[in-house]
Amino acid sequence: MTSRVLEETLRLVEGVGRELRELGVNYVVLDDLATGLYGLVQPLEEVRLLVDAGREDDVTRAVTSATQMGFIQAKLRASLQEKGVAAVNLVTLPLLVIETAAAGLDVELLRESFAYSLLGLEVRLPPLEGLIAKLVARGQYPYTAKGLALMIAWADSLSKDRLKKSLEKGGVDPAVLKALLAEAWGLASGLAPLRLKERAVHDLLENL
C-alpha cells in the first residue's frame, strides 16, 4: 500500500463512516484495508464495508454523499436490496464494496468493532478473530489465504476460544480449516522469520 493511496482510501472510508454514524448505521471495515491494518502487506485493491441490514436507503445516502457520486444512487440501492452487496468503482482508488450484515458472525463483527486511527484518520476495525473467521468462511481464494496468513502471523496472540466461537458462527468446518492451516504452515515454516511461530501454530492446530 503506498502512503498516498492508503491516506486517500482512509479519508474516503472515514468520510463514509462519518455519514453512516450520523444516520445511526453501524459499519466495520473488511478485506484488504482491514488485513493491511493488521499487518498483512499487500496491494490495496478492494475496500469492503460491512453495514447494518435493513438500512439500504440510509447506506445509499451515506455512500453517495461521501463519494459525491449521486448518479449511482438508484443502482447502488437496488443492488443492496436485491443482492445484499454493491460495488462502487472509484477509478483512482480501490474498489469500494458495501455488504449488508447477513449472519450471526456479521452481527458480531459490527457489535465488537473498535475505532482505529492512522494518519489522523479513524475507521472501524473488526476483532482479529472475527476478521479471520469472516475471511475463511468465504471458502474462496484469496480470502481464505489471507485468513490463514493472519492466523500464522498472530498465532501467539489469538484468543483460541474467541476464534472458535467466531468460526462456529461463520459456519466454518474446524476439520477443513485445520487441514488448510497445516498445509499453509508446511509451506510457510521454511521461512526463517516464521520459525518462532512454530509452537504457537501447533498449539492452534491442536485447539481448533
Side-chain angles (χ1 to χ4, degrees):
M1 291 186 288
T2 68
S3 58
R4 181 190 64 80
V5 172
L6 176 59
E7 183 172 356
E8 290 182 7
T9 301
L10 285 168
R11 196 176 304 282
L12 169 70
V13 174
E14 183 185 56
V16 174
R18 187 185 312 112
E19 297 278 353
L20 289 170
R21 287 195 302 273
E22 288 178 359
L23 293 169
V25 180
N26 295 306
Y27 88 96
V28 67
V29 175
L30 301 175
D31 290 6
D32 293 353
L33 183 56
T35 55
L37 294 177
Y38 270 115
L40 188 59
V41 179
Q42 62 195 310
L44 190 56
E45 298 176 349
E46 175 187 296
V47 175
R48 185 175 293 249
L49 301 186
L50 180 69
V51 299
D52 287 327
R55 303 293 302 275
E56 291 82 1
D57 286 344
D58 288 333
V59 171
T60 299
R61 187 178 303 115
V63 172
T64 55
S65 175
T67 60
Q68 298 184 351
M69 296 174 66
F71 62 92
I72 66 170
Q73 187 168 346
K75 184 177 290 187
L76 178 60
R77 182 188 296 108
S79 185
L80 288 172
Q81 291 174 338
E82 296 168 12
K83 303 175 183 177
V85 63
V88 180
N89 186 352
L90 300 168
V91 185
T92 60
L93 290 177
L95 187 69
L96 175 63
V97 180
I98 312 297
E99 175 184 343
T100 58
L105 177 58
D106 292 347
V107 174
E108 174 187 296
L109 295 179
L110 290 170
R111 183 180 65 246
E112 298 186 4
S113 68
F114 60 93
Y116 181 91
S117 182
L118 180 66
L119 302 176
L121 301 166
E122 183 179 290
V123 297
R124 303 289 304 181
L125 278 183
L128 178 58
E129 294 83 358
L131 175 61
I132 290 171
K134 179 70 173 178
L135 289 166
V136 299
R138 292 183 187 164
Q140 297 176 331
Y141 180 86
Y143 305 110
T144 301
K146 292 178 182 179
L148 294 170
L150 287 173
M151 289 180 73
I152 292 172
W154 291 88
D156 46 5
S157 302
L158 290 171
S159 165
K160 298 177 185 64
D161 288 340
R162 189 173 191 176
L163 178 60
K164 288 176 71 173
K165 290 177 181 176
S166 294
L167 291 169
E168 183 179 347
K169 288 182 178 179
V172 178
D173 185 336
V176 172
L177 180 58
K178 184 180 292 189
L180 289 172
L181 180 58
E183 182 179 358
W185 176 245
L187 296 171
S189 59
L191 300 174
L194 292 177
R195 289 173 189 160
L196 295 174
K197 302 285 184 179
E198 184 170 6
R199 179 176 296 181
V201 172
H202 285 302
D203 187 43
L204 190 58
L205 283 165
E206 290 176 3
N207 287 278
L208 279 177

